[in-house]
Amino acid sequence: MHDTARARVPAQTRKVLRHSVRGQVLDALRAALVDGELVPGEIYSGPALGDRFGVSATPVREAMQQLALEGAVECLPNRGFRVLSRTPRELAELAEVRAMLEVPVMLRLARSVPAATWEALRPAAAATAEAAAAGDVPGYAEADRAFHRRVLALAGNDQLVQVAEELHRRAQWPLPGAPRVRRADLVADAAEHAALLEALAAGDLPVVESLIREHFAGAT
């Protein structure tokens, strides 16, 4: 009777549950990348990571394949996954591309979006400040992306938001051998969000542009 009951579970339900596990593992792996727990150059096996997260190797492999598509790891047949190394030049190039993409958009938004709308984004900026004060590097990375995502969403271009977030995520992966991000650096980075909102609400275009470029140049 119990076997029959299990057999009647809809395939779609099983798929949703499996997708949920994969999503949770993917989030955990992304956080481990940002926090430096997954070391650039090191090779990790699906079963070993599965044991770490208390799941089978299958959702780990699926999550790692997504990370491979994002350029974070490479798949090594019969060995596992190697975390790819970044270079200072790559990070500088990412900052340049992000600025090329976001600066014109934010300047346009500063000219057209009312001050009250920017005021409504203060909780998003505050969330970055809270994570920074706690020294929570993965939490800060997530809150940082959420803040930029909400700002860019005002442009009404979903493709822009998607591309910008992908670039932002890549920019958050640490350099090989880099020390863990200091809480003071996170706090300073978060403070730039509040300053940016002030400049956007005031329509101060030179300050908006300066803040964005400096923010990307020193991106955490």
Side-chain angles (χ1 to χ4, degrees):
M1 180 175 180
H2 291 296
D3 290 340
T4 303
R6 280 198 296 269
R8 290 177 179 172
V9 175
Q12 182 62 30
T13 300
R14 294 196 297 273
K15 182 177 179 181
V16 169
L17 289 174
R18 179 176 172 181
H19 178 76
S20 176
V21 171
R22 186 188 77 94
Q24 293 173 27
V25 172
L26 179 59
D27 288 344
L29 289 172
R30 283 172 170 164
L33 278 169
V34 171
D35 209 22
E37 293 179 29
L38 294 182
V39 181
E42 292 292 324
I43 298 174
Y44 297 89
S45 73
L49 288 173
D51 290 342
R52 172 177 174 177
F53 296 121
V55 298
S56 71
T58 298
V60 172
R61 292 193 182 100
E62 292 173 345
M64 278 294 197
Q65 287 165 1
Q66 175 60 37
L67 290 177
L69 292 175
E70 296 175 4
V73 303
E74 65 175 332
C75 300
L76 303 175
N78 302 318
R79 296 182 66 192
F81 305 87
R82 177 187 287 121
V83 179
L84 295 178
S85 297
R86 325 299 296 174
T87 67
R89 178 174 178 175
E90 286 176 316
L91 293 183
E93 289 175 347
L94 281 168
E96 182 179 5
V97 174
R98 289 184 66 201
M100 292 171 63
L101 184 67
E102 295 194 31
V103 167
V105 174
M106 290 199 189
L107 291 177
R108 176 163 56 86
L109 292 174
R111 297 187 189 99
S112 59
V113 174
T117 300
W118 298 119
E119 192 68 26
L121 293 185
R122 287 195 179 277
T128 68
E130 291 173 6
D136 180 0
V137 177
Y140 181 80
E142 185 175 347
D144 187 25
R145 291 195 310 275
F147 173 80
H148 284 267
R149 183 168 61 246
R150 289 194 59 184
V151 170
L152 293 176
L154 296 175
N157 187 324
D158 292 341
Q159 297 304 311
L160 165 70
V161 174
Q162 182 176 337
V163 170
E165 177 146 0
E166 176 63 21
L167 292 171
H168 194 166
R169 190 186 299 281
R170 288 171 180 256
Q172 292 175 329
W173 300 332
L175 293 171
R180 196 173 190 277
V181 179
R182 299 182 307 165
R183 187 175 67 85
D185 294 331
L186 294 178
V187 170
D189 200 65
E192 293 175 357
H193 294 144
L196 178 60
L197 286 182
E198 292 285 352
L200 287 165
D204 193 333
L205 304 188
V207 173
V208 168
E209 181 169 0
S210 176
L211 283 170
I212 300 170
R213 293 190 184 280
E214 290 177 7
H215 189 64
F216 290 167
T220 302

